[in-house]
């Protein structure tokens, strides 16, 4: 029983291992959690549960279960509906939406429809008639289900503001971070004029650090090929987050680093 702000990557691993331990005995799985880091949990499980052939539904509530106005009871019921649906995948079930786990982001601190599906429609809507799936069912997995629960926590998220010092990259190197996600501006660029980040990026990349350029914009994603600020970073070896959420990017990097021996191998997994 944890406030989700206290959930750590090893808790995601334990959740994945729990699914794997009982995988053959159940048609689907439900997981309650408080909401603050739920999008990180569902993103992490999306990578950890490989060749998943059953539904895993994660849900929670904005109000405690003992509150007369709680949304928890309805959310739990809907999560069970998803878990019993036969629709394979990791889903975040909340309010009137069923969201693919690696596309979920918490957008409200109080509203009952707190989570949005970013850069793709929700997988299903919850109506008075029940579940109405808008996404096609995923194809049967080609390989055998396996849990890959290992993670490496040495991933740093840097959110740029005008005036941010590139010396933060030296901090990341000095403290042993293996990957850095830079939430840049617009389509994912980093400063390249006054206070340029490019020399610091080049130093970090040559030292073997993985650098991923993300965007502070919620929708539409990163394109490092549009502007010089992105093109130059990509030429140095920075990777694009594409249309992934920050939660998805960070958890996928942790997972990729935890399941490979080298940064180059982790890059290949990240890009898959």
């Amino acid at each position: 029983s944890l406030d989700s702000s206290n959930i750590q990557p090893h808790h995601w691993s334990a959740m994945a291992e729990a699914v794997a331990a009982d995988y053959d005995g159940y048609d689907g799985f439900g997981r309650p959690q408080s909401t603050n880091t739920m999008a990180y949990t569902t993103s992490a499980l999306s990578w950890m549960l490989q060749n998943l052939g059953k539904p895993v539904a994660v849900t929670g509530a904005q109000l405690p279960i003992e509150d007369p106005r709680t949304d928890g009871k309805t959310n739990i019921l809907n999560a069970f509906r998803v878990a019993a649906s036969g629709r394979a995948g990791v889903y975040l079930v909340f309010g009137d939406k069923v969201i693919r786990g690696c596309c979920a982001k918490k957008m409200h601190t109080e509203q009952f429809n707190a989570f949005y599906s970013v850069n793709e429609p929700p997988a299903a809507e919850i109506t008075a008639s029940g579940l109405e799936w808008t996404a096609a069912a995923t194809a049967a997995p080609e390989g055998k289900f396996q849990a890959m629960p290992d993670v490496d926590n040495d991933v740093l998220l840097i959110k740029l503001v005008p005036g941010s010092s590139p010396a933060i990259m030296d901090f990341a190197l000095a403290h042993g971070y293996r990957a850095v996600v830079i939430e840049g501006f617009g389509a994912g660029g980093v400063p390249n004029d006054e206070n340029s980040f490019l020399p610091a990026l080049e130093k970090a990349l040559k030292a073997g650090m993985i650098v991923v350029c993300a965007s502070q914009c919620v929708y539409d994603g990163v394109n490092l090929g549009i502007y010089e600020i992105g093109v130059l970073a990509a030429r140095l070896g920075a990777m694009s987050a594409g249309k992934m959420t920050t939660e998805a990017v960070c958890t996928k990097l942790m997972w990729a680093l935890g399941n490979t021996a080298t940064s180059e191998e982790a890059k290949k997994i990240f890009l898959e």
Side-chain angles (χ1 to χ4, degrees):
S1 180
L2 290 172
D3 186 298
S4 69
S5 296
N6 291 321
I7 284 183
Q8 299 295 313
H10 67 84
H11 293 116
W12 307 331
S13 299
M15 295 176 205
E17 289 166 352
V19 171
D22 288 325
Y23 187 78
D24 293 331
Y26 295 90
D27 296 322
F29 301 85
R31 167 72 196 184
Q33 179 184 313
S34 57
T35 60
N36 289 338
T37 59
M38 192 186 298
Y40 285 96
T41 295
T42 57
S43 291
L45 292 177
S46 296
W47 319 128
M48 291 177 173
L49 302 175
Q50 292 287 300
N51 296 316
L52 182 63
K54 299 178 181 182
V56 175
V58 181
T59 194
Q62 291 286 65
L63 292 175
I65 198 74
E66 65 271 12
D67 191 304
R69 300 166 298 146
T70 186
D71 53 329
K73 295 175 184 178
T74 299
N75 286 342
I76 288 172
L77 176 60
N78 288 330
F80 285 153
R81 286 173 171 152
V82 172
S85 69
R87 292 280 187 134
V90 176
Y91 300 103
L92 190 151
V93 183
F94 211 89
D96 61 9
K97 298 182 182 71
V98 179
I99 302 168
R100 202 159 66 97
C102 58
C103 297
K105 180 178 278 291
K106 189 175 183 182
M107 302 290 280
H108 297 283
T109 59
E110 295 182 356
Q111 291 186 26
F112 286 160
N113 268 313
F115 290 87
Y116 288 12
S117 182
V118 175
N119 290 326
E120 71 173 49
E125 301 282 349
I126 300 167
T127 70
S129 302
L131 289 172
E132 294 187 4
W133 293 91
T134 54
T138 55
E142 295 181 2
K144 183 179 179 181
F145 166 77
Q146 64 171 330
M148 297 176 65
D150 293 338
V151 288
D152 186 326
N153 299 356
D154 291 326
V155 175
L156 179 65
L157 172 64
I158 299 172
K159 188 181 185 78
L160 296 185
V161 298
S164 291
S165 171
I168 195 168
M169 297 298 298
D170 292 327
F171 169 90
L173 276 173
H175 286 77
Y177 285 98
R178 298 181 63 196
V180 168
V181 179
I182 301 177
E183 269 199 1
F185 309 114
V190 297
N192 68 340
D193 190 359
E194 183 180 352
N195 230 22
S196 174
F197 263 69
L198 295 179
L201 288 187
E202 185 173 19
K203 179 181 177 182
L205 288 160
K206 285 183 176 179
M209 181 181 286
I210 298 173
V211 177
V212 178
C213 291
S215 175
Q216 294 175 24
C217 301
V218 174
Y219 294 102
D220 299 333
V222 170
N223 186 338
L224 297 181
I226 297 179
Y227 304 111
E228 185 182 39
I229 53 176
V231 170
L232 294 176
R235 284 179 184 170
L236 292 175
M239 297 191 297
S240 169
K243 293 192 174 184
M244 296 170 67
T245 64
T246 299
E247 294 88 341
V249 172
C250 290
T251 55
K252 192 170 187 181
L253 281 171
M254 290 179 182
W255 172 75
L257 287 167
N259 288 279
T260 54
T262 67
S263 293
E264 289 303 314
E265 291 173 327
K267 286 181 186 179
K268 290 178 182 178
I269 288 183
F270 178 80
L271 293 172
E272 289 177 353

